[in-house]
Amino acid sequence: MEEKRKHKRLDIDVSVQLERLDEDGITTLKYVHVDVTDISRSGVGFKANVPLELHTYYDTKIQIWTKEVVDAVIEIVRCEEKEGVYHYGAVFIGMTDTDALKIDIYQIFNDL
């Protein structure tokens, strides 16, 4: 099977906090803790015990392996439910170059 991703996925032990962003720019104070299954410069895959709607946006705080926190806005683009656990795919739609670089640096170390 051909790899369609532009960026390599990483298996990573991180914690994520999601905060829902609504159309009017109002944030819904709904914090969700999720288990990240993979992350790349372009997006993140994670599991959660709560249903999230497709094409909704979340402000995320991702604590990475160095204990630094990456702030990013994600859009939920894929959802699959298995035995009460939801598996999500999301793309980063707002992230600073500095934060994207942190993920790139992790990739380099991970490949060594």
Side-chain angles (χ1 to χ4, degrees):
M1 191 164 92
E2 188 184 331
E3 178 63 59
K4 293 181 185 164
R5 289 178 178 77
K6 281 188 250 159
H7 301 101
K8 186 175 172 186
R9 281 201 288 193
L10 305 169
D11 295 326
I12 185 171
D13 181 24
V14 296
S15 63
V16 176
Q17 199 173 358
L18 301 178
E19 186 179 7
R20 169 101 185 243
L21 300 174
D22 290 328
E23 294 77 23
D24 352 334
I26 299 167
T27 58
T28 307
L29 293 177
K30 178 180 178 188
Y31 292 102
V32 181
H33 289 280
V34 304
D35 295 321
V36 170
T37 53
D38 56 75
I39 190 168
S40 75
R41 189 185 177 109
S42 52
V44 63
F46 59 90
K47 295 186 287 194
N49 296 329
V50 294
L52 304 173
E53 295 171 43
L54 283 178
H55 306 294
T56 51
Y57 300 92
Y58 290 85
D59 197 6
T60 64
K61 295 194 180 312
I62 304 170
Q63 186 177 28
I64 55 177
W65 56 98
T66 58
K67 301 299 179 208
E68 292 176 283
V69 173
V70 172
D71 285 306
V73 174
I74 61 167
E75 177 186 1
I76 306 291
V77 294
R78 186 174 40 76
C79 174
E80 192 178 304
E81 191 227 338
K82 284 185 191 161
E83 298 165 12
V85 177
Y86 298 90
H87 297 259
Y88 295 102
V91 292
F92 292 124
I93 57 168
M95 181 191 293
T96 66
D97 289 342
T98 306
D99 284 344
L101 191 61
K102 290 174 188 171
I103 294 171
D104 285 344
I105 290 168
Y106 175 73
Q107 255 181 337
I108 292 165
F109 280 102
N110 202 46
D111 289 344
L112 294 178

PDB file of all heavy atoms in Angstrom, residues 37-57:
ATOM      1  N   THR A  37      -2.084   8.451  19.308  1.00  0.00           N
ATOM      2  CA  THR A  37      -1.569   7.216  18.720  1.00  0.00           C
ATOM      3  C   THR A  37      -0.438   7.515  17.754  1.00  0.00           C
ATOM      4  O   THR A  37       0.469   6.718  17.582  1.00  0.00           O
ATOM      5  CB  THR A  37      -2.686   6.435  18.007  1.00  0.00           C
ATOM      6  OG1 THR A  37      -3.342   7.315  17.091  1.00  0.00           O
ATOM      7  CG2 THR A  37      -3.688   5.898  19.010  1.00  0.00           C
ATOM      8  N   ASP A  38      -0.481   8.677  17.099  1.00  0.00           N
ATOM      9  CA  ASP A  38       0.607   9.092  16.225  1.00  0.00           C
ATOM     10  C   ASP A  38       0.502  10.585  15.974  1.00  0.00           C
ATOM     11  O   ASP A  38      -0.557  11.183  16.165  1.00  0.00           O
ATOM     12  CB  ASP A  38       0.597   8.311  14.904  1.00  0.00           C
ATOM     13  CG  ASP A  38      -0.731   8.441  14.177  1.00  0.00           C
ATOM     14  OD1 ASP A  38      -0.978   9.508  13.594  1.00  0.00           O
ATOM     15  OD2 ASP A  38      -1.511   7.482  14.210  1.00  0.00           O
ATOM     16  N   ILE A  39       1.620  11.168  15.564  1.00  0.00           N
ATOM     17  CA  ILE A  39       1.655  12.604  15.307  1.00  0.00           C
ATOM     18  C   ILE A  39       2.645  12.857  14.187  1.00  0.00           C
ATOM     19  O   ILE A  39       3.622  12.135  14.036  1.00  0.00           O
ATOM     20  CB  ILE A  39       2.035  13.383  16.592  1.00  0.00           C
ATOM     21  CG1 ILE A  39       1.842  14.885  16.411  1.00  0.00           C
ATOM     22  CG2 ILE A  39       3.444  13.045  17.042  1.00  0.00           C
ATOM     23  CD1 ILE A  39       1.921  15.659  17.727  1.00  0.00           C
ATOM     24  N   SER A  40       2.352  13.840  13.362  1.00  0.00           N
ATOM     25  CA  SER A  40       3.295  14.267  12.329  1.00  0.00           C
ATOM     26  C   SER A  40       3.176  15.781  12.239  1.00  0.00           C
ATOM     27  O   SER A  40       2.349  16.392  12.921  1.00  0.00           O
ATOM     28  CB  SER A  40       2.959  13.630  10.977  1.00  0.00           C
ATOM     29  OG  SER A  40       1.834  14.259  10.403  1.00  0.00           O
ATOM     30  N   ARG A  41       3.959  16.352  11.378  1.00  0.00           N
ATOM     31  CA  ARG A  41       3.914  17.806  11.223  1.00  0.00           C
ATOM     32  C   ARG A  41       2.537  18.251  10.713  1.00  0.00           C
ATOM     33  O   ARG A  41       2.114  19.373  10.955  1.00  0.00           O
ATOM     34  CB  ARG A  41       5.014  18.234  10.260  1.00  0.00           C
ATOM     35  CG  ARG A  41       5.194  19.723  10.184  1.00  0.00           C
ATOM     36  CD  ARG A  41       6.220  20.075   9.106  1.00  0.00           C
ATOM     37  NE  ARG A  41       6.317  21.516   9.012  1.00  0.00           N
ATOM     38  CZ  ARG A  41       7.362  22.218   9.410  1.00  0.00           C
ATOM     39  NH1 ARG A  41       8.390  21.602   9.943  1.00  0.00           N
ATOM     40  NH2 ARG A  41       7.382  23.522   9.280  1.00  0.00           N
ATOM     41  N   SER A  42       1.834  17.374   9.995  1.00  0.00           N
ATOM     42  CA  SER A  42       0.565  17.785   9.406  1.00  0.00           C
ATOM     43  C   SER A  42      -0.670  17.411  10.225  1.00  0.00           C
ATOM     44  O   SER A  42      -1.742  17.952   9.992  1.00  0.00           O
ATOM     45  CB  SER A  42       0.437  17.210   7.992  1.00  0.00           C
ATOM     46  OG  SER A  42       0.676  15.829   8.004  1.00  0.00           O
ATOM     47  N   GLY A  43      -0.534  16.489  11.181  1.00  0.00           N
ATOM     48  CA  GLY A  43      -1.726  16.112  11.928  1.00  0.00           C
ATOM     49  C   GLY A  43      -1.434  15.175  13.086  1.00  0.00           C
ATOM     50  O   GLY A  43      -0.289  14.863  13.386  1.00  0.00           O
ATOM     51  N   VAL A  44      -2.538  14.727  13.691  1.00  0.00           N
ATOM     52  CA  VAL A  44      -2.414  13.890  14.884  1.00  0.00           C
ATOM     53  C   VAL A  44      -3.532  12.852  14.882  1.00  0.00           C
ATOM     54  O   VAL A  44      -4.644  13.115  14.415  1.00  0.00           O
ATOM     55  CB  VAL A  44      -2.452  14.783  16.158  1.00  0.00           C
ATOM     56  CG1 VAL A  44      -3.772  15.516  16.308  1.00  0.00           C
ATOM     57  CG2 VAL A  44      -2.148  13.994  17.415  1.00  0.00           C
ATOM     58  N   GLY A  45      -3.216  11.651  15.350  1.00  0.00           N
ATOM     59  CA  GLY A  45      -4.219  10.604  15.531  1.00  0.00           C
ATOM     60  C   GLY A  45      -4.342  10.350  17.020  1.00  0.00           C
ATOM     61  O   GLY A  45      -3.349  10.377  17.741  1.00  0.00           O
ATOM     62  N   PHE A  46      -5.576  10.140  17.499  1.00  0.00           N
ATOM     63  CA  PHE A  46      -5.734   9.912  18.937  1.00  0.00           C
ATOM     64  C   PHE A  46      -6.990   9.113  19.230  1.00  0.00           C
ATOM     65  O   PHE A  46      -7.862   8.969  18.380  1.00  0.00           O
ATOM     66  CB  PHE A  46      -5.751  11.241  19.701  1.00  0.00           C
ATOM     67  CG  PHE A  46      -6.848  12.192  19.288  1.00  0.00           C
ATOM     68  CD1 PHE A  46      -8.090  12.172  19.899  1.00  0.00           C
ATOM     69  CD2 PHE A  46      -6.618  13.134  18.303  1.00  0.00           C
ATOM     70  CE1 PHE A  46      -9.092  13.044  19.530  1.00  0.00           C
ATOM     71  CE2 PHE A  46      -7.627  14.021  17.919  1.00  0.00           C
ATOM     72  CZ  PHE A  46      -8.863  13.977  18.539  1.00  0.00           C
ATOM     73  N   LYS A  47      -7.033   8.584  20.455  1.00  0.00           N
ATOM     74  CA  LYS A  47      -8.193   7.834  20.938  1.00  0.00           C
ATOM     75  C   LYS A  47      -8.812   8.612  22.094  1.00  0.00           C
ATOM     76  O   LYS A  47      -8.095   9.234  22.879  1.00  0.00           O
ATOM     77  CB  LYS A  47      -7.779   6.461  21.451  1.00  0.00           C
ATOM     78  CG  LYS A  47      -7.235   5.550  20.381  1.00  0.00           C
ATOM     79  CD  LYS A  47      -6.985   4.160  20.907  1.00  0.00           C
ATOM     80  CE  LYS A  47      -5.762   4.141  21.797  1.00  0.00           C
ATOM     81  NZ  LYS A  47      -5.264   2.809  22.097  1.00  0.00           N
ATOM     82  N   ALA A  48     -10.133   8.552  22.182  1.00  0.00           N
ATOM     83  CA  ALA A  48     -10.834   9.209  23.283  1.00  0.00           C
ATOM     84  C   ALA A  48     -12.079   8.399  23.616  1.00  0.00           C
ATOM     85  O   ALA A  48     -12.557   7.613  22.797  1.00  0.00           O
ATOM     86  CB  ALA A  48     -11.216  10.639  22.907  1.00  0.00           C
ATOM     87  N   ASN A  49     -12.590   8.602  24.815  1.00  0.00           N
ATOM     88  CA  ASN A  49     -13.801   7.894  25.238  1.00  0.00           C
ATOM     89  C   ASN A  49     -15.063   8.690  24.970  1.00  0.00           C
ATOM     90  O   ASN A  49     -16.139   8.282  25.369  1.00  0.00           O
ATOM     91  CB  ASN A  49     -13.725   7.576  26.736  1.00  0.00           C
ATOM     92  CG  ASN A  49     -12.591   6.620  27.029  1.00  0.00           C
ATOM     93  OD1 ASN A  49     -12.242   5.788  26.206  1.00  0.00           O
ATOM     94  ND2 ASN A  49     -12.000   6.749  28.199  1.00  0.00           N
ATOM     95  N   VAL A  50     -14.921   9.841  24.325  1.00  0.00           N
ATOM     96  CA  VAL A  50     -16.085  10.706  24.071  1.00  0.00           C
ATOM     97  C   VAL A  50     -16.248  10.939  22.576  1.00  0.00           C
ATOM     98  O   VAL A  50     -15.274  10.975  21.838  1.00  0.00           O
ATOM     99  CB  VAL A  50     -15.925  12.079  24.785  1.00  0.00           C
ATOM    100  CG1 VAL A  50     -15.953  11.903  26.289  1.00  0.00           C
ATOM    101  CG2 VAL A  50     -14.670  12.781  24.346  1.00  0.00           C
ATOM    102  N   PRO A  51     -17.506  11.086  22.135  1.00  0.00           N
ATOM    103  CA  PRO A  51     -17.731  11.362  20.716  1.00  0.00           C
ATOM    104  C   PRO A  51     -17.432  12.826  20.401  1.00  0.00           C
ATOM    105  O   PRO A  51     -17.833  13.711  21.146  1.00  0.00           O
ATOM    106  CB  PRO A  51     -19.224  11.044  20.525  1.00  0.00           C
ATOM    107  CG  PRO A  51     -19.826  11.197  21.876  1.00  0.00           C
ATOM    108  CD  PRO A  51     -18.751  10.897  22.882  1.00  0.00           C
ATOM    109  N   LEU A  52     -16.696  13.051  19.324  1.00  0.00           N
ATOM    110  CA  LEU A  52     -16.420  14.401  18.826  1.00  0.00           C
ATOM    111  C   LEU A  52     -16.953  14.458  17.397  1.00  0.00           C
ATOM    112  O   LEU A  52     -16.844  13.488  16.662  1.00  0.00           O
ATOM    113  CB  LEU A  52     -14.917  14.693  18.832  1.00  0.00           C
ATOM    114  CG  LEU A  52     -14.180  14.549  20.162  1.00  0.00           C
ATOM    115  CD1 LEU A  52     -12.671  14.708  19.956  1.00  0.00           C
ATOM    116  CD2 LEU A  52     -14.680  15.561  21.181  1.00  0.00           C
ATOM    117  N   GLU A  53     -17.509  15.588  17.015  1.00  0.00           N
ATOM    118  CA  GLU A  53     -18.092  15.698  15.676  1.00  0.00           C
ATOM    119  C   GLU A  53     -17.015  15.936  14.632  1.00  0.00           C
ATOM    120  O   GLU A  53     -16.021  16.605  14.888  1.00  0.00           O
ATOM    121  CB  GLU A  53     -19.081  16.864  15.642  1.00  0.00           C
ATOM    122  CG  GLU A  53     -20.295  16.665  16.523  1.00  0.00           C
ATOM    123  CD  GLU A  53     -21.124  17.944  16.609  1.00  0.00           C
ATOM    124  OE1 GLU A  53     -21.315  18.593  15.562  1.00  0.00           O
ATOM    125  OE2 GLU A  53     -21.553  18.276  17.718  1.00  0.00           O
ATOM    126  N   LEU A  54     -17.272  15.383  13.429  1.00  0.00           N
ATOM    127  CA  LEU A  54     -16.381  15.632  12.302  1.00  0.00           C
ATOM    128  C   LEU A  54     -16.448  17.114  11.934  1.00  0.00           C
ATOM    129  O   LEU A  54     -17.490  17.748  12.078  1.00  0.00           O
ATOM    130  CB  LEU A  54     -16.792  14.800  11.092  1.00  0.00           C
ATOM    131  CG  LEU A  54     -16.416  13.328  11.113  1.00  0.00           C
ATOM    132  CD1 LEU A  54     -16.940  12.626   9.867  1.00  0.00           C
ATOM    133  CD2 LEU A  54     -14.916  13.127  11.228  1.00  0.00           C
ATOM    134  N   HIS A  55     -15.348  17.626  11.436  1.00  0.00           N
ATOM    135  CA  HIS A  55     -15.222  19.014  10.973  1.00  0.00           C
ATOM    136  C   HIS A  55     -15.509  20.032  12.074  1.00  0.00           C
ATOM    137  O   HIS A  55     -16.046  21.095  11.820  1.00  0.00           O
ATOM    138  CB  HIS A  55     -16.090  19.256   9.733  1.00  0.00           C
ATOM    139  CG  HIS A  55     -15.785  18.254   8.662  1.00  0.00           C
ATOM    140  ND1 HIS A  55     -14.552  18.190   8.011  1.00  0.00           N
ATOM    141  CD2 HIS A  55     -16.508  17.226   8.170  1.00  0.00           C
ATOM    142  CE1 HIS A  55     -14.565  17.174   7.159  1.00  0.00           C
ATOM    143  NE2 HIS A  55     -15.724  16.571   7.243  1.00  0.00           N
ATOM    144  N   THR A  56     -15.145  19.662  13.300  1.00  0.00           N
ATOM    145  CA  THR A  56     -15.180  20.630  14.390  1.00  0.00           C
ATOM    146  C   THR A  56     -13.734  20.969  14.712  1.00  0.00           C
ATOM    147  O   THR A  56     -12.812  20.214  14.388  1.00  0.00           O
ATOM    148  CB  THR A  56     -15.895  20.077  15.637  1.00  0.00           C
ATOM    149  OG1 THR A  56     -15.336  18.808  15.985  1.00  0.00           O
ATOM    150  CG2 THR A  56     -17.383  19.919  15.394  1.00  0.00           C
ATOM    151  N   TYR A  57     -13.537  22.112  15.332  1.00  0.00           N
ATOM    152  CA  TYR A  57     -12.195  22.630  15.588  1.00  0.00           C
ATOM    153  C   TYR A  57     -11.924  22.653  17.081  1.00  0.00           C
ATOM    154  O   TYR A  57     -12.809  22.963  17.867  1.00  0.00           O
ATOM    155  CB  TYR A  57     -12.059  24.045  15.018  1.00  0.00           C
ATOM    156  CG  TYR A  57     -12.285  24.071  13.530  1.00  0.00           C
ATOM    157  CD1 TYR A  57     -13.549  24.320  13.006  1.00  0.00           C
ATOM    158  CD2 TYR A  57     -11.241  23.818  12.648  1.00  0.00           C
ATOM    159  CE1 TYR A  57     -13.768  24.323  11.644  1.00  0.00           C
ATOM    160  CE2 TYR A  57     -11.447  23.816  11.278  1.00  0.00           C
ATOM    161  CZ  TYR A  57     -12.709  24.074  10.781  1.00  0.00           C
ATOM    162  OH  TYR A  57     -12.916  24.060   9.438  1.00  0.00           O
TER     163      TYR A  57
END
